[in-house]
Amino acid sequence: MASRSIVIGGQNADAGGWRAAVAGLGRRAGSILAALALIGATIALGFILASYHVTDPALNTAAGGPARNIFGAFGAWISDIALSLFGPAIAIVLPLGLVWGLRLWRAHPVGRWGRSILIALFAVLLIDIGLALFRGGSVAGLPAGFGGSLGLGGAALITMGLDQLADPMLANGLRLGSAALLAILGIAFWIWGLGLLADERDWLLRRGAYARHPAEADRKSTRLNSSHTATTR
């Protein structure tokens, strides 16, 4: 009888654990669905930008043929507007969606997403101006060159000031230096805009160390696991 009661008690405990797990999953269903939707939308935007064709009918193209974008006419219009304004640097905004989606999946708060978007767009603008200073004008396959129309406009203002210099070589050197500085500042603002948490930064550092020295990273991981096991004992 004692053994039977133990088994029944164990079954009740298992049933209680399953009920708690199902209840927890139900409470997290909203955040899980939001995470999947956000990650899926981010990946879709990436495909929309990557499948841009300059001959697709869109805002800046009066072509009559079918859109070759992977998302059809809708994708052709979205990619044309995004690349026309910001150039290919707009793609650096996409990791924000992945970071937020993974946080929702892990039941973590997304954070100050509005501020992150503004900082990321400012980073894109800085990089756009830097790219336009480095190489302005039209580029095959892009509607407004590497810097987009915003980058071209910012670069034009800087170039107007540099043209006032008497020495063309000095002006060209300052132009290239400004391009490099703006690109570096843009990357710095982009990293700030991501707003990675401490555990997210640690994970990226561990993955980077493993990619560079996989054998050494495996040894360190084994030592950490061994020390953790010894501590728990």
Side-chain angles (χ1 to χ4, degrees):
M1 293 296 293
S3 61
R4 180 178 177 81
S5 62
I6 292 174
V7 172
I8 293 174
Q11 290 175 346
N12 290 336
D14 291 341
W18 277 106
R19 283 195 295 268
V22 171
L25 184 61
R27 287 192 298 269
R28 291 197 54 214
S31 61
I32 291 174
L33 291 176
L36 293 175
L38 186 55
I39 293 173
T42 302
I43 294 174
L45 284 174
F47 278 112
I48 285 175
L49 293 175
S51 59
Y52 169 79
H53 289 85
V54 71
T55 57
D56 283 348
L59 179 65
N60 298 303
T61 308
R68 297 168 60 191
N69 193 284
I70 193 171
F71 281 85
F74 172 77
W77 274 76
I78 294 296
S79 59
D80 180 73
I81 293 173
L83 293 174
S84 296
L85 287 175
F86 298 102
I90 190 61
I92 69 172
V93 177
L94 297 179
L96 287 175
L98 298 178
V99 170
W100 297 337
L102 292 174
R103 286 179 183 172
L104 289 172
W105 182 268
R106 298 162 57 203
H108 286 186
V110 171
R112 302 172 64 180
W113 58 271
R115 188 193 71 165
S116 296
I117 291 177
L118 291 177
I119 294 174
L121 290 177
F122 182 65
V124 171
L125 179 60
L126 293 177
I127 295 174
D128 283 342
I129 297 174
L131 290 173
L133 284 172
F134 181 75
R135 177 169 179 188
S138 60
V139 176
L142 292 173
F146 284 125
S149 59
L150 295 178
L152 289 173
L157 293 176
I158 296 175
T159 303
M160 286 174 57
L162 294 177
D163 287 343
Q164 305 304 314
L165 298 176
D167 189 350
M169 292 186 63
L170 176 61
N172 188 57
L174 290 174
R175 178 178 62 83
L176 295 178
S178 300
L181 178 61
L182 289 169
I184 293 172
L185 287 175
I187 294 172
F189 272 96
W190 174 71
I191 294 173
W192 180 32
L194 281 178
L196 295 178
L197 303 175
D199 59 338
E200 294 167 346
R201 293 193 299 268
D202 292 341
W203 183 85
L204 287 175
L205 290 175
R206 288 197 302 271
R207 297 304 301 174
Y210 184 84
R212 292 191 300 270
H213 307 289
E216 182 179 352
D218 286 336
R219 287 195 298 270
K220 289 182 177 179
S221 177
T222 302
R223 287 198 299 268
L224 288 174
N225 291 333
S226 300
S227 62
H228 176 71
T229 303
T231 303
T232 54
R233 288 180 179 177

